[in-house]
């Protein structure tokens, strides 16, 4: 007899008892999304890498590293967190108006992004940072 939520099946699985073939209703939760990757090249050429959940900003992701990127504001206007994208630009979220304005005001060319705005959507991204903590 099947329970409405498949509890009996889950208990058997936890106990290591073969519950039989898995039906769609027993395990309906989708698999977790694949993590994204960041490689940060420091001003001295050193490299450090880490992973994060998709949609994390470069700045937040770099917080997992021993020496993360520095930030200087809370409204994406200072340019302290600027990075040069070396690889994987296609894996980043598109620039919004605020980011474009700050990059333009700081005279930064197209390969630059603000780490506090650019989100790593999928895959792996490699950036050069200029100011680390
Ligand atoms: S921290 Fe100021 S622009 Fe990103």
């Amino acid at each position: 007899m099947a329970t409405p939520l498949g509890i009996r099946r889950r208990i058997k699985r936890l106990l290591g008892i073969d519950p039989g073939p898995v039906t769609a209703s027993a395990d309906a939760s989708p698999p977790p999304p694949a993590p994204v990757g960041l490689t940060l090249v420091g001003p001295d050429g050193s490299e450090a890498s880490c992973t994060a959940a998709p949609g994390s900003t470069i700045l937040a992701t770099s917080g997992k590293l021993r020496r993360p990127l520095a930030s200087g504001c809370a409204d994406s206007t200072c340019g302290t967190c600027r990075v040069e994208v070396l690889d994987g630009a296609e894996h980043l979220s598109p620039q919004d108006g605020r980011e474009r304005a700050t990059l333009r005001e700081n005279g930064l060319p197209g390969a630059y992004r603000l780490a506090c705005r650019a989100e790593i959507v999928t895959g792996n991204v490699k950036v050069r940072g200029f100011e680390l903590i």
Side-chain angles (χ1 to χ4, degrees):
M1 179 174 162
T3 55
L5 300 174
I7 293 171
R8 188 171 293 147
R9 178 181 303 279
R10 291 179 187 184
I11 291 171
K12 284 183 175 180
R13 190 170 293 127
L14 287 172
L15 294 174
I17 303 168
D18 182 12
V22 176
T23 61
S25 63
D27 282 310
S29 58
V36 296
L38 171 69
T39 298
L40 175 61
V41 180
D44 62 355
S46 63
E47 291 189 15
S49 298
C50 65
T51 60
S56 303
T57 64
I58 294 173
L59 183 65
T61 304
S62 80
K64 294 183 166 188
L65 301 173
R66 190 175 63 80
R67 294 198 63 208
L69 288 162
S71 63
C73 69
D75 58 359
S76 303
T77 56
C78 70
T80 303
C81 67
R82 71 200 179 285
V83 294
E84 179 183 11
V85 180
L86 303 174
D87 195 25
E90 69 276 16
H91 298 307
L92 296 173
S93 60
Q95 292 180 356
D96 59 16
R98 174 73 269 160
E99 182 177 8
R100 274 194 296 275
T102 299
L103 292 171
R104 187 175 48 247
E105 289 163 11
N106 286 282
L108 297 171
Y112 283 72
R113 296 294 305 264
L114 295 181
C116 65
R117 299 298 274 201
E119 297 172 344
I120 308 173
V121 180
T122 60
N124 298 304
V125 176
K126 184 175 185 177
V127 299
R128 181 186 318 283
F130 299 93
E131 298 187 44
L132 307 183
I133 296 175

